């Protein structure tokens, strides 16, 4: 029998709602706190930075939220995204397991980030906003927002983490092409950036610093709002279109995953593919394992601490209950720029704490090795971030073979690596160092966390 290798959905079959895991969580997430009073903050406290509709989604307990028509119109250009069975990869491994992947790189931004960028730009435009500020690590988020903002007639100012700005000039030019302004962060444009540069003029930057800069600019003007590409509940919500589609596609393939895997930066692509399957676990007693893979050099889920901490380095966000390495932690300059974030989303953090999901950490060389094997067998060059999910999937297949069983593995291929070719060059030159943070180093970083009270 010929194996099905590509499962497509028609436009008609595309889900029309996002799924909100909060409705099904046994332990609801703890509230964000005001940093000084330590009282839970209300939605109004976020009104200076986000439009009301996104704040409502941020605190919503509704199970399903309708996707607006204007957002669906842009989704339809590139969604439903394909689900593939990686038969050539399976053959190369000689595995008894089945490996499926959902490909989110086939859109203008080259990653899953477009799914929330379009929604966020739309809600801002609807509420009369003129300009958006944001941060970007590797540049995928900035690219995703650049086109979405241009489409809806919004200006965009992007603070790009300096190490990525230097490593990935192509991403900056793509953002410029879509009409956005891009500034390397830390910059002298903001008080937060100047403070970092005073301490370390050579600072490589971090997502935490870039977020502080973007927020600082946004709060100074009522027609400017800020936008975040991961971590927050509304971002995770928008990404659930991935898993909603994948559920239907797996059914069409006549299969169901034993394990669903995503790489982990702040949690949005993992949550996007995993939460609809977690719903099936919680509501229907399915037993799918949900596995995140993070870099050993930025191991917030596997070695960090669950506590209230800031989402940015200057302490402008509310305090959020999450796994963190400390908001001042500056990760090593690994090439998966999108995974260099000190914290984790509130929903994923609570679910990890409650044992509904699993986390593991991996080194970058092994992940690139997996990425190259994937490219040579399946023909798609993965984003360095996605290589962590691939490496996680390879582990699962090899483990199953050792145990003499066949598993059905599904992972999210969160993006392509066409702008990351110099990272692959470094890998081929054997010039990609492994870096692992020890528990002692993590504990030391956490002991230095300074909170206002
Ligand atoms: C941003 C990004 C990530 C990491 O962010 P999450 O919010 O954890 O998904 C992973 N892969 C790609 C391709 C990205 O652009």
């Amino acid at each position: 029998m010929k194996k099905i290798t590509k499962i497509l959905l028609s436009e008609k079959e595309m889900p029309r709602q996002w799924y909100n895991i909060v409705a099904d969580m046994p332990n609801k997430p703890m509230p964000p706190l005001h940093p000084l009073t330590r009282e839970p903050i209300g939605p109004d406290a976020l009104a200076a930075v986000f439009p009301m509709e996104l704040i409502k989604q941020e605190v919503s307990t509704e199970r399903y939220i309708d996707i607006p028509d204007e957002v669906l119109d842009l989704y339809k250009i590139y969604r439903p995204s394909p689900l593939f069975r990686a038969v050539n990869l399976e053959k190369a491994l000689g595995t008894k397991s089945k490996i499926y992947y959902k490909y989110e790189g086939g859109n203008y931004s080259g990653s899953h980030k477009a799914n929330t960028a379009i929604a966020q730009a739309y809600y801002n435009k609807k509420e009369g906003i003129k300009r958006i500020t944001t941060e970007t690590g590797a540049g995928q988020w900035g690219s995703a927002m650049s086109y979405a903002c241009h489409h809806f007639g919004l200006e965009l100012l992007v603070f790009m983490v300096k190490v990525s700005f230097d490593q990935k000039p192509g991403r900056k030019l793509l953002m410029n092409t879509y009409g956005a302004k891009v500034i390397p962060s830390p910059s002298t444009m903001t008080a937060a950036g100047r403070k970092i540069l005073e301490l370390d003029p050579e600072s490589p930057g971090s997502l935490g610093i870039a977020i502080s800069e973007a927020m600082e600019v946004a709060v100074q003007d009522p027609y400017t709002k800020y936008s975040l590409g991961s971590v927050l509940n509304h971002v995770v919500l928008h990404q659930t279109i991935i898993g909603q589609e994948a559920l239907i596609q797996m059914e069409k393939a006549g299969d169901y995953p034993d394990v669903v895997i995503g790489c982990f930066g702040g949690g949005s692509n993992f949550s996007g593919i995993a939460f609809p399957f977690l719903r099936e676990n919680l509501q229907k007693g399915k037993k799918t394992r949900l596995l995140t893979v993070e870099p050993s050099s930025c191991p917030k889920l596997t070695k960090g601490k669950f506590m209230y901490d800031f989402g940015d380095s200057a302490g402008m966000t509310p305090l959020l209950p999450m796994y963190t390495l400390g908001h001042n932690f500056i990760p090593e300059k690994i090439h998966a720029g999108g995974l260099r974030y000190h914290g984790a989303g509130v929903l994923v953090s609570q679910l990890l704490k409650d044992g509904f999901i699993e986390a593991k950490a991996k080194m970058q060389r092994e992940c690139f090795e997996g990425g190259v094997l994937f490219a040579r067998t399946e023909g798609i060059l993965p984003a360095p971030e996605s290589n962590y999910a691939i490496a996680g999937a390879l582990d699962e297949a090899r483990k199953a073979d050792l145990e003499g069983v066949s598993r059905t593995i599904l992972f999210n291929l969160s993006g392509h690596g066409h702008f990351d070719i110099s990272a692959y060059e470094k890998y081929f030159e054997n010039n990609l160092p492994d870096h692992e943070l020890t528990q002692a180093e993590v504990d030391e970083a956490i002991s230095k966390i300074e909170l206002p009270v």
Side-chain angles (χ1 to χ4, degrees):
M1 200 178 80
K2 199 166 161 12
K3 289 176 191 159
I4 301 174
T5 56
K6 183 176 179 187
I7 301 106
L8 297 176
L9 295 181
S10 70
E11 199 177 292
K12 267 219 208 83
E13 293 170 294
M14 188 169 85
R16 296 296 194 267
Q17 293 178 313
W18 293 303
Y19 166 61
N20 182 7
I21 189 86
V22 176
D24 291 313
M25 283 169 74
N27 291 326
K28 302 301 176 200
M30 301 193 300
L33 299 183
H34 189 283
L36 293 176
T37 64
R38 293 249 166 181
E39 294 290 326
I41 56 156
D44 290 350
L46 297 170
V49 274
F50 297 119
M52 236 342 133
E53 202 54 39
L54 291 177
I55 296 172
K56 279 193 205 152
Q57 292 179 0
E58 188 62 23
V59 299
S60 173
T61 54
E62 293 292 314
R63 184 169 283 109
Y64 294 102
I65 293 174
D66 288 338
I67 306 175
D69 286 343
E70 291 84 345
V71 174
L72 283 174
D73 284 344
L74 286 188
Y75 275 7
K76 282 176 196 164
I77 296 174
Y78 67 94
R79 306 208 71 85
S81 70
L83 183 106
F84 294 95
R85 173 139 175 226
V87 284
N88 292 316
L89 177 63
E90 288 172 17
K91 210 186 291 168
L93 288 173
T95 183
K96 281 207 205 74
S97 290
K98 293 184 247 180
I99 305 176
Y100 290 89
Y101 62 97
K102 179 83 166 150
Y103 183 43
E104 288 295 315
N107 65 63
Y108 72 86
S109 75
S111 80
H112 66 289
K113 300 278 189 346
N115 300 329
T116 183
I118 292 165
Q120 292 192 42
Y122 165 75
Y123 288 117
N124 274 286
K125 178 63 180 181
K126 214 174 136 211
E127 293 183 29
I129 297 310
K130 306 276 182 243
R131 183 173 71 149
I132 306 261
T133 62
T134 195
E135 75 293 327
T136 197
Q140 285 93 280
W141 170 239
S143 315
M145 268 317 265
S146 298
Y147 169 79
C149 284
H150 189 266
H151 176 85
F152 288 110
L154 297 160
E155 275 178 52
L156 180 68
L157 176 62
V158 183
F159 289 90
M160 184 170 189
V161 175
K162 176 122 179 305
V163 55
S164 294
F165 189 91
D166 297 338
Q167 279 172 351
K168 298 177 71 175
R171 275 283 169 193
K172 172 194 169 280
L173 291 169
L174 182 64
M175 289 183 257
N176 292 152
T177 306
Y178 287 138
K181 191 170 166 193
V182 186
I183 292 168
S185 165
S187 77
T188 53
M189 197 182 199
T190 65
R194 287 190 294 270
K195 195 172 156 204
I196 299 285
L197 288 172
E198 251 167 53
L199 293 171
D200 178 10
E202 302 300 314
S203 169
S206 70
L207 278 165
I209 295 167
I211 294 170
S212 298
E213 292 205 89
M215 284 182 76
E216 186 180 321
V217 173
V219 295
Q220 289 165 10
D221 171 18
Y223 292 100
T224 301
K225 299 268 186 212
Y226 162 71
S227 168
L228 186 61
S230 181
V231 180
L232 295 176
N233 302 354
H234 66 267
V235 180
V236 166
L237 175 80
H238 302 152
Q239 295 297 353
T240 57
I241 184 85
I242 303 172
Q244 300 264 82
E245 286 178 3
L247 260 171
I248 307 172
Q249 287 163 310
M250 288 303 295
E251 194 183 332
K252 284 202 170 189
D255 246 331
Y256 197 84
D258 297 308
V259 56
V260 174
I261 303 169
C263 65
F264 198 92
S268 74
N269 91 86
F270 165 75
S271 306
I273 194 162
F275 283 1
F277 288 94
L278 179 53
R279 174 189 65 210
E280 303 299 294
N281 285 1
L282 293 167
Q283 288 185 356
K284 299 184 187 151
K286 296 270 193 195
K287 296 261 179 331
T288 300
R289 289 169 49 227
L290 307 163
L291 173 66
T292 68
V293 187
E294 63 181 4
S296 306
S297 59
C298 195
K300 58 257 178 172
L301 296 178
T302 50
K303 288 184 177 149
K305 185 174 172 190
F306 183 84
M307 61 179 280
Y308 272 101
D309 194 12
F310 289 114
D312 70 314
S313 71
M316 297 190 66
T317 69
L319 289 172
L320 301 167
M322 60 182 183
Y323 281 94
T324 180
L325 298 168
H327 59 279
N328 293 129
F329 178 76
I330 298 186
E332 280 295 305
K333 300 182 218 172
I334 55 162
H335 279 272
L339 309 186
R340 290 179 72 242
Y341 182 65
H342 68 272
V346 168
L347 302 178
V348 170
S349 293
Q350 185 66 46
L351 289 163
L352 178 68
K353 186 164 171 276
D354 291 340
F356 292 107
I357 63 179
E358 300 168 31
K360 77 193 280 186
K362 295 196 79 73
M363 305 264 217
Q364 71 174 347
R365 273 217 302 272
E366 187 190 334
C367 295
F368 270 82
E369 189 186 318
V372 169
L373 175 64
F374 184 86
R376 288 177 182 173
T377 49
E378 294 299 312
I380 299 174
L381 183 77
E385 291 85 358
S386 312
N387 285 345
Y388 288 75
I390 292 171
L394 296 179
D395 280 354
E396 290 295 323
R398 288 173 179 140
K399 206 171 65 186
D401 289 327
L402 284 177
E403 291 164 11
V405 296
S406 160
R407 278 209 184 93
T408 302
I409 300 163
L410 167 64
F411 73 89
N412 197 18
L413 188 65
S414 54
H416 70 61
H418 295 178
F419 288 96
D420 301 277
I421 205 72
S422 68
Y424 282 89
E425 183 185 22
K426 290 216 173 70
Y427 168 74
F428 291 126
E429 287 169 348
N430 219 352
N431 193 9
L432 208 56
D434 271 339
H435 185 265
E436 181 172 17
L437 222 55
T438 64
Q439 189 66 55
E441 287 170 309
V442 172
D443 294 345
E444 161 90 11
I446 289 170
S447 73
K448 287 204 204 117
I449 300 178
E450 281 178 35
L451 297 177
V453 276

